[in-house]
Amino acid sequence: MTSSKLAISFFIALAFTLGCKSTTDKPTNGTQQDPASAVQLAKAKAATLEATQAMEDYAYARKAEFVAKMQSDLVATQEELDRLAAKVASSAGSAKAEAASKLDAAGKKLAQTKQQLEQAQNATESSWNDVKSGFKESYAGLKDSIAATRLWLSEKIAP
């Protein structure tokens, strides 16, 4: 329902903006545009601003959904790290110490990502986009770290 209102608002603003006559259609001689065009332009700008605000509100309105999904993903990531740690603990050899340091680094990235998610959970509407992008960047780094660790482990430690 909210997304349909958003789409309708956007298309109304777009249609209104496209319906306005361009000032380049008239010869310019240094004079201002006529009052009717100025009113139309002001209305178009207001409608566009309203549509933009509606899109931002919609993204912020889904914050709880985003946080819940990311919490679930982080739980799964923690479980994966635990499985990798168990694999390292059951192994022997010189690779075990190096594997432990790689797992420790991934664990630190997980803790950092959890902090970012906590900030996202506490974000205000004005800070939401910045906090969300910071979390996504941290989460991508965490996933890359775990993938690299998993690959390294598969090469160094037999299954």
Side-chain angles (χ1 to χ4, degrees):
M1 180 90 178
T2 304
S3 61
S4 63
K5 287 181 183 177
L6 177 64
I8 290 169
S9 297
F10 178 73
F11 286 118
I12 288 172
L14 181 64
F16 193 73
T17 302
L18 292 176
C20 292
K21 292 187 178 183
S22 172
T23 58
T24 59
D25 293 344
K26 298 177 185 177
T28 56
N29 56 3
T31 62
Q32 299 256 338
Q33 60 188 10
D34 66 88
S37 294
V39 169
Q40 278 187 326
L41 182 59
K43 285 181 181 179
K45 286 180 180 179
T48 304
L49 181 62
E50 184 179 318
T52 302
Q53 185 62 42
M55 284 190 280
E56 289 175 3
D57 290 347
Y58 179 70
Y60 180 74
R62 296 189 60 190
K63 176 179 89 165
E65 184 180 326
F66 173 82
V67 169
K69 182 183 179 332
M70 291 298 102
Q71 283 175 334
S72 173
D73 285 359
L74 288 181
V75 167
T77 301
Q78 179 67 58
E79 291 169 354
E80 184 175 358
L81 271 177
D82 292 345
R83 282 191 298 275
L84 292 174
K87 183 177 179 180
V88 168
S90 66
S91 69
S94 62
K96 187 173 183 176
E98 192 174 346
S101 70
K102 289 187 179 293
L103 284 174
D104 186 48
K108 287 178 181 176
K109 284 190 184 279
L110 177 63
Q112 176 187 7
T113 304
K114 284 180 179 180
Q115 263 185 333
Q116 290 280 339
L117 185 59
E118 188 175 310
Q119 288 177 357
Q121 191 170 14
N122 297 327
T124 62
E125 189 171 0
S126 62
S127 66
W128 170 243
N129 287 332
D130 291 336
V131 172
K132 183 174 72 168
S133 66
F135 170 80
K136 285 183 176 182
E137 185 178 311
S138 179
Y139 186 71
L142 170 65
K143 285 302 206 181
D144 289 346
S145 174
I146 290 176
T149 301
R150 187 183 320 111
L151 180 64
W152 186 88
L153 287 174
S154 69
E155 293 172 355
K156 300 291 182 179
I157 299 176

